[in-house]
PDB file of all heavy atoms in Angstrom:
ATOM      1  N   SER A  62      54.177 -78.547 -30.426  1.00 97.00           N
ATOM      2  CA  SER A  62      55.030 -78.015 -29.339  1.00 97.00           C
ATOM      3  C   SER A  62      54.313 -78.239 -27.997  1.00 97.00           C
ATOM      4  O   SER A  62      54.959 -78.605 -27.019  1.00 97.00           O
ATOM      5  CB  SER A  62      55.319 -76.587 -29.588  1.00 97.00           C
ATOM      6  OG  SER A  62      55.943 -76.417 -30.903  1.00 97.00           O
ATOM      7  N   TYR A  63      52.925 -78.030 -27.984  1.00 97.00           N
ATOM      8  CA  TYR A  63      52.235 -78.201 -26.712  1.00 97.00           C
ATOM      9  C   TYR A  63      52.297 -79.675 -26.302  1.00 97.00           C
ATOM     10  O   TYR A  63      52.541 -79.864 -25.172  1.00 97.00           O
ATOM     11  CB  TYR A  63      50.807 -77.823 -27.007  1.00 97.00           C
ATOM     12  CG  TYR A  63      49.886 -77.959 -25.766  1.00 97.00           C
ATOM     13  CD1 TYR A  63      49.828 -77.044 -24.749  1.00 97.00           C
ATOM     14  CD2 TYR A  63      49.208 -79.214 -25.450  1.00 97.00           C
ATOM     15  CE1 TYR A  63      49.048 -77.191 -23.622  1.00 97.00           C
ATOM     16  CE2 TYR A  63      48.427 -79.449 -24.388  1.00 97.00           C
ATOM     17  CZ  TYR A  63      48.349 -78.393 -23.461  1.00 97.00           C
ATOM     18  OH  TYR A  63      47.591 -78.558 -22.350  1.00 97.00           O
ATOM     19  N   ASP A  64      52.197 -80.534 -27.274  1.00 96.00           N
ATOM     20  CA  ASP A  64      52.163 -81.966 -26.878  1.00 96.00           C
ATOM     21  C   ASP A  64      53.541 -82.416 -26.345  1.00 96.00           C
ATOM     22  O   ASP A  64      53.650 -83.289 -25.512  1.00 96.00           O
ATOM     23  CB  ASP A  64      51.746 -82.881 -28.106  1.00 96.00           C
ATOM     24  CG  ASP A  64      50.283 -82.747 -28.342  1.00 96.00           C
ATOM     25  OD1 ASP A  64      49.554 -82.235 -27.455  1.00 96.00           O
ATOM     26  OD2 ASP A  64      49.842 -83.135 -29.495  1.00 96.00           O
ATOM     27  N   ALA A  65      54.569 -81.742 -26.832  1.00 95.00           N
ATOM     28  CA  ALA A  65      55.952 -82.037 -26.382  1.00 95.00           C
ATOM     29  C   ALA A  65      56.222 -81.638 -25.112  1.00 95.00           C
ATOM     30  O   ALA A  65      57.148 -82.159 -24.433  1.00 95.00           O
ATOM     31  CB  ALA A  65      56.947 -81.530 -27.430  1.00 95.00           C
ATOM     32  N   GLY A  66      55.472 -80.711 -24.584  1.00 94.00           N
ATOM     33  CA  GLY A  66      55.724 -80.201 -23.190  1.00 94.00           C
ATOM     34  C   GLY A  66      55.005 -78.835 -23.044  1.00 94.00           C
ATOM     35  O   GLY A  66      54.952 -78.094 -23.921  1.00 94.00           O
ATOM     36  N   HIS A  67      54.514 -78.652 -21.823  1.00 95.00           N
ATOM     37  CA  HIS A  67      53.755 -77.391 -21.613  1.00 95.00           C
ATOM     38  C   HIS A  67      53.805 -77.038 -20.116  1.00 95.00           C
ATOM     39  O   HIS A  67      54.016 -77.991 -19.221  1.00 95.00           O
ATOM     40  CB  HIS A  67      52.257 -77.415 -22.173  1.00 95.00           C
ATOM     41  CG  HIS A  67      51.535 -78.493 -21.731  1.00 95.00           C
ATOM     42  ND1 HIS A  67      51.376 -79.738 -22.449  1.00 95.00           N
ATOM     43  CD2 HIS A  67      50.864 -78.765 -20.665  1.00 95.00           C
ATOM     44  CE1 HIS A  67      50.611 -80.554 -21.878  1.00 95.00           C
ATOM     45  NE2 HIS A  67      50.301 -80.070 -20.748  1.00 95.00           N
ATOM     46  N   VAL A  68      53.415 -75.864 -19.812  1.00 95.00           N
ATOM     47  CA  VAL A  68      53.257 -75.421 -18.427  1.00 95.00           C
ATOM     48  C   VAL A  68      52.090 -76.327 -17.790  1.00 95.00           C
ATOM     49  O   VAL A  68      51.062 -76.454 -18.561  1.00 95.00           O
ATOM     50  CB  VAL A  68      52.851 -73.967 -18.240  1.00 95.00           C
ATOM     51  CG1 VAL A  68      52.560 -73.622 -16.820  1.00 95.00           C
ATOM     52  CG2 VAL A  68      54.133 -73.164 -18.739  1.00 95.00           C
ATOM     53  N   PRO A  69      52.165 -76.769 -16.601  1.00 93.00           N
ATOM     54  CA  PRO A  69      51.071 -77.683 -16.119  1.00 93.00           C
ATOM     55  C   PRO A  69      49.653 -76.952 -16.270  1.00 93.00           C
ATOM     56  O   PRO A  69      49.616 -75.866 -15.862  1.00 93.00           O
ATOM     57  CB  PRO A  69      51.471 -77.933 -14.640  1.00 93.00           C
ATOM     58  CG  PRO A  69      52.946 -77.738 -14.582  1.00 93.00           C
ATOM     59  CD  PRO A  69      53.227 -76.724 -15.578  1.00 93.00           C
ATOM     60  N   ASN A  70      48.795 -77.831 -16.657  1.00 92.00           N
ATOM     61  CA  ASN A  70      47.403 -77.283 -16.810  1.00 92.00           C
ATOM     62  C   ASN A  70      47.162 -76.182 -17.775  1.00 92.00           C
ATOM     63  O   ASN A  70      46.051 -75.648 -17.842  1.00 92.00           O
ATOM     64  CB  ASN A  70      46.681 -76.991 -15.524  1.00 92.00           C
ATOM     65  CG  ASN A  70      46.654 -78.176 -14.632  1.00 92.00           C
ATOM     66  OD1 ASN A  70      46.240 -79.292 -15.051  1.00 92.00           O
ATOM     67  ND2 ASN A  70      47.035 -78.063 -13.316  1.00 92.00           N
ATOM     68  N   ALA A  71      48.200 -75.843 -18.603  1.00 96.00           N
ATOM     69  CA  ALA A  71      47.973 -74.836 -19.563  1.00 96.00           C
ATOM     70  C   ALA A  71      46.880 -75.249 -20.607  1.00 96.00           C
ATOM     71  O   ALA A  71      46.952 -76.465 -21.021  1.00 96.00           O
ATOM     72  CB  ALA A  71      49.301 -74.510 -20.238  1.00 96.00           C
ATOM     73  N   VAL A  72      46.095 -74.277 -21.054  1.00 97.00           N
ATOM     74  CA  VAL A  72      45.126 -74.599 -22.073  1.00 97.00           C
ATOM     75  C   VAL A  72      45.732 -74.402 -23.467  1.00 97.00           C
ATOM     76  O   VAL A  72      46.263 -73.234 -23.647  1.00 97.00           O
ATOM     77  CB  VAL A  72      43.859 -73.682 -21.836  1.00 97.00           C
ATOM     78  CG1 VAL A  72      42.879 -73.851 -22.965  1.00 97.00           C
ATOM     79  CG2 VAL A  72      43.209 -74.095 -20.541  1.00 97.00           C
ATOM     80  N   PRO A  73      45.629 -75.275 -24.408  1.00 98.00           N
ATOM     81  CA  PRO A  73      46.202 -75.092 -25.725  1.00 98.00           C
ATOM     82  C   PRO A  73      45.337 -74.284 -26.600  1.00 98.00           C
ATOM     83  O   PRO A  73      44.161 -74.721 -26.933  1.00 98.00           O
ATOM     84  CB  PRO A  73      46.446 -76.581 -26.340  1.00 98.00           C
ATOM     85  CG  PRO A  73      45.421 -77.330 -25.586  1.00 98.00           C
ATOM     86  CD  PRO A  73      45.059 -76.703 -24.275  1.00 98.00           C
ATOM     87  N   LEU A  74      45.760 -73.191 -27.145  1.00 98.00           N
ATOM     88  CA  LEU A  74      44.937 -72.409 -28.012  1.00 98.00           C
ATOM     89  C   LEU A  74      44.762 -73.172 -29.334  1.00 98.00           C
ATOM     90  O   LEU A  74      43.643 -72.965 -29.969  1.00 98.00           O
ATOM     91  CB  LEU A  74      45.541 -71.073 -28.268  1.00 98.00           C
ATOM     92  CG  LEU A  74      44.834 -70.043 -29.253  1.00 98.00           C
ATOM     93  CD1 LEU A  74      43.507 -69.601 -28.620  1.00 98.00           C
ATOM     94  CD2 LEU A  74      45.776 -68.786 -29.525  1.00 98.00           C
ATOM     95  N   SER A  75      45.636 -74.006 -29.705  1.00 97.00           N
ATOM     96  CA  SER A  75      45.546 -74.826 -30.896  1.00 97.00           C
ATOM     97  C   SER A  75      44.298 -75.643 -30.866  1.00 97.00           C
ATOM     98  O   SER A  75      43.816 -76.136 -31.838  1.00 97.00           O
ATOM     99  CB  SER A  75      46.744 -75.638 -31.057  1.00 97.00           C
ATOM    100  OG  SER A  75      46.954 -76.429 -29.911  1.00 97.00           O
ATOM    101  N   ARG A  76      43.699 -76.065 -29.666  1.00 97.00           N
ATOM    102  CA  ARG A  76      42.592 -76.923 -29.537  1.00 97.00           C
ATOM    103  C   ARG A  76      41.377 -76.133 -28.909  1.00 97.00           C
ATOM    104  O   ARG A  76      40.406 -76.870 -28.613  1.00 97.00           O
ATOM    105  CB  ARG A  76      42.945 -78.159 -28.744  1.00 97.00           C
ATOM    106  CG  ARG A  76      44.011 -79.027 -29.348  1.00 97.00           C
ATOM    107  CD  ARG A  76      43.920 -80.452 -28.814  1.00 97.00           C
ATOM    108  NE  ARG A  76      45.177 -81.218 -29.248  1.00 97.00           N
ATOM    109  CZ  ARG A  76      46.159 -81.400 -28.442  1.00 97.00           C
ATOM    110  NH1 ARG A  76      46.303 -80.888 -27.180  1.00 97.00           N
ATOM    111  NH2 ARG A  76      47.224 -82.011 -28.946  1.00 97.00           N
ATOM    112  N   THR A  77      41.579 -74.907 -28.705  1.00 95.00           N
ATOM    113  CA  THR A  77      40.502 -74.258 -27.961  1.00 95.00           C
ATOM    114  C   THR A  77      40.268 -72.894 -28.693  1.00 95.00           C
ATOM    115  O   THR A  77      41.047 -72.003 -28.666  1.00 95.00           O
ATOM    116  CB  THR A  77      40.926 -73.793 -26.531  1.00 95.00           C
ATOM    117  OG1 THR A  77      41.670 -74.980 -25.978  1.00 95.00           O
ATOM    118  CG2 THR A  77      39.835 -73.448 -25.634  1.00 95.00           C
ATOM    119  N   PRO A  78      39.195 -72.840 -29.410  1.00 94.00           N
ATOM    120  CA  PRO A  78      38.860 -71.597 -30.185  1.00 94.00           C
ATOM    121  C   PRO A  78      38.842 -70.450 -29.240  1.00 94.00           C
ATOM    122  O   PRO A  78      38.457 -70.524 -28.165  1.00 94.00           O
ATOM    123  CB  PRO A  78      37.480 -71.921 -30.746  1.00 94.00           C
ATOM    124  CG  PRO A  78      37.329 -73.413 -30.738  1.00 94.00           C
ATOM    125  CD  PRO A  78      38.204 -73.910 -29.592  1.00 94.00           C
ATOM    126  N   VAL A  79      39.266 -69.303 -29.833  1.00 95.00           N
ATOM    127  CA  VAL A  79      39.331 -68.046 -29.047  1.00 95.00           C
ATOM    128  C   VAL A  79      37.996 -67.752 -28.222  1.00 95.00           C
ATOM    129  O   VAL A  79      37.972 -67.435 -27.085  1.00 95.00           O
ATOM    130  CB  VAL A  79      39.738 -66.904 -29.986  1.00 95.00           C
ATOM    131  CG1 VAL A  79      39.630 -65.560 -29.181  1.00 95.00           C
ATOM    132  CG2 VAL A  79      41.089 -66.996 -30.439  1.00 95.00           C
ATOM    133  N   GLU A  80      36.924 -68.040 -29.030  1.00 95.00           N
ATOM    134  CA  GLU A  80      35.538 -67.767 -28.436  1.00 95.00           C
ATOM    135  C   GLU A  80      35.419 -68.518 -27.119  1.00 95.00           C
ATOM    136  O   GLU A  80      34.803 -68.086 -26.180  1.00 95.00           O
ATOM    137  CB  GLU A  80      34.411 -68.048 -29.397  1.00 95.00           C
ATOM    138  CG  GLU A  80      34.448 -67.368 -30.720  1.00 95.00           C
ATOM    139  CD  GLU A  80      35.482 -67.859 -31.590  1.00 95.00           C
ATOM    140  OE1 GLU A  80      35.743 -69.066 -31.709  1.00 95.00           O
ATOM    141  OE2 GLU A  80      36.179 -67.025 -32.279  1.00 95.00           O
ATOM    142  N   GLN A  81      35.877 -69.821 -27.301  1.00 96.00           N
ATOM    143  CA  GLN A  81      35.814 -70.719 -26.154  1.00 96.00           C
ATOM    144  C   GLN A  81      36.678 -70.254 -24.950  1.00 96.00           C
ATOM    145  O   GLN A  81      36.212 -70.262 -23.778  1.00 96.00           O
ATOM    146  CB  GLN A  81      36.257 -72.097 -26.586  1.00 96.00           C
ATOM    147  CG  GLN A  81      35.559 -73.265 -25.747  1.00 96.00           C
ATOM    148  CD  GLN A  81      35.944 -74.543 -26.360  1.00 96.00           C
ATOM    149  OE1 GLN A  81      35.646 -74.804 -27.552  1.00 96.00           O
ATOM    150  NE2 GLN A  81      36.513 -75.418 -25.578  1.00 96.00           N
ATOM    151  N   CYS A  82      37.854 -69.674 -25.274  1.00 96.00           N
ATOM    152  CA  CYS A  82      38.672 -69.156 -24.249  1.00 96.00           C
ATOM    153  C   CYS A  82      38.058 -68.005 -23.534  1.00 96.00           C
ATOM    154  O   CYS A  82      38.118 -67.844 -22.374  1.00 96.00           O
ATOM    155  CB  CYS A  82      40.007 -68.680 -24.824  1.00 96.00           C
ATOM    156  SG  CYS A  82      41.012 -69.925 -25.599  1.00 96.00           S
ATOM    157  N   LEU A  83      37.418 -67.114 -24.342  1.00 96.00           N
ATOM    158  CA  LEU A  83      36.783 -65.968 -23.761  1.00 96.00           C
ATOM    159  C   LEU A  83      35.714 -66.336 -22.738  1.00 96.00           C
ATOM    160  O   LEU A  83      35.432 -65.631 -21.807  1.00 96.00           O
ATOM    161  CB  LEU A  83      36.190 -65.120 -24.831  1.00 96.00           C
ATOM    162  CG  LEU A  83      37.291 -64.425 -25.715  1.00 96.00           C
ATOM    163  CD1 LEU A  83      36.559 -63.717 -26.985  1.00 96.00           C
ATOM    164  CD2 LEU A  83      37.979 -63.395 -24.976  1.00 96.00           C
ATOM    165  N   GLU A  84      35.093 -67.520 -23.003  1.00 95.00           N
ATOM    166  CA  GLU A  84      34.052 -67.963 -22.094  1.00 95.00           C
ATOM    167  C   GLU A  84      34.628 -68.782 -20.894  1.00 95.00           C
ATOM    168  O   GLU A  84      34.154 -68.627 -19.803  1.00 95.00           O
ATOM    169  CB  GLU A  84      33.090 -68.957 -22.894  1.00 95.00           C
ATOM    170  CG  GLU A  84      32.162 -68.116 -23.705  1.00 95.00           C
ATOM    171  CD  GLU A  84      31.318 -69.005 -24.578  1.00 95.00           C
ATOM    172  OE1 GLU A  84      31.244 -70.293 -24.248  1.00 95.00           O
ATOM    173  OE2 GLU A  84      30.677 -68.557 -25.583  1.00 95.00           O
ATOM    174  N   LYS A  85      35.647 -69.537 -21.258  1.00 94.00           N
ATOM    175  CA  LYS A  85      36.296 -70.450 -20.238  1.00 94.00           C
ATOM    176  C   LYS A  85      36.907 -69.657 -19.101  1.00 94.00           C
ATOM    177  O   LYS A  85      36.912 -70.017 -17.873  1.00 94.00           O
ATOM    178  CB  LYS A  85      37.230 -71.291 -20.961  1.00 94.00           C
ATOM    179  CG  LYS A  85      37.901 -72.396 -20.217  1.00 94.00           C
ATOM    180  CD  LYS A  85      38.909 -73.157 -21.099  1.00 94.00           C
ATOM    181  CE  LYS A  85      39.622 -74.247 -20.357  1.00 94.00           C
ATOM    182  NZ  LYS A  85      38.826 -75.363 -20.050  1.00 94.00           N
ATOM    183  N   PHE A  86      37.773 -68.719 -19.425  1.00 97.00           N
ATOM    184  CA  PHE A  86      38.543 -67.957 -18.437  1.00 97.00           C
ATOM    185  C   PHE A  86      37.701 -66.819 -17.839  1.00 97.00           C
ATOM    186  O   PHE A  86      37.076 -66.105 -18.593  1.00 97.00           O
ATOM    187  CB  PHE A  86      39.867 -67.418 -19.087  1.00 97.00           C
ATOM    188  CG  PHE A  86      40.697 -68.392 -19.699  1.00 97.00           C
ATOM    189  CD1 PHE A  86      41.146 -68.236 -20.961  1.00 97.00           C
ATOM    190  CD2 PHE A  86      41.146 -69.493 -18.985  1.00 97.00           C
ATOM    191  CE1 PHE A  86      42.041 -69.265 -21.557  1.00 97.00           C
ATOM    192  CE2 PHE A  86      42.004 -70.478 -19.590  1.00 97.00           C
ATOM    193  CZ  PHE A  86      42.449 -70.239 -20.834  1.00 97.00           C
ATOM    194  N   GLU A  87      37.766 -66.787 -16.608  1.00 97.00           N
ATOM    195  CA  GLU A  87      37.040 -65.616 -15.819  1.00 97.00           C
ATOM    196  C   GLU A  87      37.925 -64.380 -15.994  1.00 97.00           C
ATOM    197  O   GLU A  87      39.138 -64.386 -15.716  1.00 97.00           O
ATOM    198  CB  GLU A  87      36.851 -65.941 -14.389  1.00 97.00           C
ATOM    199  CG  GLU A  87      35.746 -67.013 -14.216  1.00 97.00           C
ATOM    200  CD  GLU A  87      35.695 -67.397 -12.681  1.00 97.00           C
ATOM    201  OE1 GLU A  87      35.519 -66.588 -11.800  1.00 97.00           O
ATOM    202  OE2 GLU A  87      35.761 -68.599 -12.449  1.00 97.00           O
ATOM    203  N   LYS A  88      37.148 -63.342 -16.378  1.00 97.00           N
ATOM    204  CA  LYS A  88      37.878 -62.025 -16.652  1.00 97.00           C
ATOM    205  C   LYS A  88      38.506 -61.358 -15.540  1.00 97.00           C
ATOM    206  O   LYS A  88      39.549 -60.578 -15.525  1.00 97.00           O
ATOM    207  CB  LYS A  88      36.915 -61.054 -17.234  1.00 97.00           C
ATOM    208  CG  LYS A  88      36.565 -61.450 -18.766  1.00 97.00           C
ATOM    209  CD  LYS A  88      35.789 -60.536 -19.601  1.00 97.00           C
ATOM    210  CE  LYS A  88      35.686 -61.037 -20.967  1.00 97.00           C
ATOM    211  NZ  LYS A  88      34.774 -60.412 -21.707  1.00 97.00           N
ATOM    212  N   ASP A  89      37.970 -61.678 -14.268  1.00 97.00           N
ATOM    213  CA  ASP A  89      38.585 -61.203 -12.982  1.00 97.00           C
ATOM    214  C   ASP A  89      39.802 -61.877 -12.499  1.00 97.00           C
ATOM    215  O   ASP A  89      40.567 -61.527 -11.702  1.00 97.00           O
ATOM    216  CB  ASP A  89      37.545 -61.159 -11.857  1.00 97.00           C
ATOM    217  CG  ASP A  89      36.478 -60.144 -12.166  1.00 97.00           C
ATOM    218  OD1 ASP A  89      36.794 -59.304 -12.929  1.00 97.00           O
ATOM    219  OD2 ASP A  89      35.421 -60.298 -11.590  1.00 97.00           O
ATOM    220  N   LYS A  90      39.986 -63.136 -13.136  1.00 97.00           N
ATOM    221  CA  LYS A  90      41.154 -64.009 -12.642  1.00 97.00           C
ATOM    222  C   LYS A  90      42.430 -63.693 -13.531  1.00 97.00           C
ATOM    223  O   LYS A  90      42.321 -63.194 -14.604  1.00 97.00           O
ATOM    224  CB  LYS A  90      40.750 -65.460 -12.787  1.00 97.00           C
ATOM    225  CG  LYS A  90      39.813 -65.799 -11.781  1.00 97.00           C
ATOM    226  CD  LYS A  90      40.248 -67.106 -11.009  1.00 97.00           C
ATOM    227  CE  LYS A  90      39.254 -67.391  -9.913  1.00 97.00           C
ATOM    228  NZ  LYS A  90      38.271 -68.519 -10.332  1.00 97.00           N
ATOM    229  N   THR A  91      43.613 -64.007 -12.864  1.00 97.00           N
ATOM    230  CA  THR A  91      44.829 -63.754 -13.627  1.00 97.00           C
ATOM    231  C   THR A  91      44.866 -64.712 -14.755  1.00 97.00           C
ATOM    232  O   THR A  91      44.540 -65.818 -14.718  1.00 97.00           O
ATOM    233  CB  THR A  91      45.937 -64.047 -12.636  1.00 97.00           C
ATOM    234  OG1 THR A  91      45.967 -63.209 -11.529  1.00 97.00           O
ATOM    235  CG2 THR A  91      47.385 -64.070 -13.327  1.00 97.00           C
ATOM    236  N   LEU A  92      45.327 -64.268 -15.980  1.00 98.00           N
ATOM    237  CA  LEU A  92      45.538 -64.975 -17.071  1.00 98.00           C
ATOM    238  C   LEU A  92      46.891 -64.767 -17.571  1.00 98.00           C
ATOM    239  O   LEU A  92      47.430 -63.727 -17.705  1.00 98.00           O
ATOM    240  CB  LEU A  92      44.536 -64.514 -18.212  1.00 98.00           C
ATOM    241  CG  LEU A  92      44.772 -65.265 -19.604  1.00 98.00           C
ATOM    242  CD1 LEU A  92      44.475 -66.720 -19.521  1.00 98.00           C
ATOM    243  CD2 LEU A  92      43.831 -64.581 -20.612  1.00 98.00           C
ATOM    244  N   VAL A  93      47.669 -65.893 -17.782  1.00 98.00           N
ATOM    245  CA  VAL A  93      49.065 -65.855 -18.260  1.00 98.00           C
ATOM    246  C   VAL A  93      49.102 -66.479 -19.575  1.00 98.00           C
ATOM    247  O   VAL A  93      48.667 -67.577 -19.817  1.00 98.00           O
ATOM    248  CB  VAL A  93      50.020 -66.563 -17.239  1.00 98.00           C
ATOM    249  CG1 VAL A  93      51.428 -66.417 -17.752  1.00 98.00           C
ATOM    250  CG2 VAL A  93      49.828 -66.145 -15.835  1.00 98.00           C
ATOM    251  N   VAL A  94      49.718 -65.683 -20.575  1.00 98.00           N
ATOM    252  CA  VAL A  94      49.762 -66.227 -21.918  1.00 98.00           C
ATOM    253  C   VAL A  94      51.238 -66.656 -22.179  1.00 98.00           C
ATOM    254  O   VAL A  94      52.227 -65.936 -21.967  1.00 98.00           O
ATOM    255  CB  VAL A  94      49.411 -65.139 -23.013  1.00 98.00           C
ATOM    256  CG1 VAL A  94      49.527 -65.719 -24.400  1.00 98.00           C
ATOM    257  CG2 VAL A  94      48.078 -64.553 -22.675  1.00 98.00           C
ATOM    258  N   CYS A  95      51.324 -67.897 -22.663  1.00 98.00           N
ATOM    259  CA  CYS A  95      52.627 -68.524 -22.946  1.00 98.00           C
ATOM    260  C   CYS A  95      52.887 -68.740 -24.418  1.00 98.00           C
ATOM    261  O   CYS A  95      51.994 -69.391 -25.064  1.00 98.00           O
ATOM    262  CB  CYS A  95      52.659 -69.736 -22.099  1.00 98.00           C
ATOM    263  SG  CYS A  95      54.186 -70.765 -22.379  1.00 98.00           S
ATOM    264  N   CYS A  96      54.004 -68.332 -24.923  1.00 98.00           N
ATOM    265  CA  CYS A  96      54.350 -68.779 -26.314  1.00 98.00           C
ATOM    266  C   CYS A  96      55.753 -69.450 -26.287  1.00 98.00           C
ATOM    267  O   CYS A  96      56.135 -70.033 -25.400  1.00 98.00           O
ATOM    268  CB  CYS A  96      54.311 -67.475 -27.250  1.00 98.00           C
ATOM    269  SG  CYS A  96      55.533 -66.230 -26.905  1.00 98.00           S
TER     270      CYS A  96
END
Side-chain angles (χ1 to χ4, degrees):
S62 302
Y63 178 89
D64 286 344
H67 52 264
V68 172
N70 292 318
V72 171
L74 182 63
S75 56
R76 296 198 191 103
T77 319
V79 173
E80 302 74 39
Q81 208 172 306
C82 292
L83 293 171
E84 283 172 17
K85 185 181 178 71
F86 300 128
E87 287 175 54
K88 293 190 172 165
D89 289 341
K90 292 233 172 99
T91 298
L92 174 66
V93 183
V94 184
C95 173
C96 66

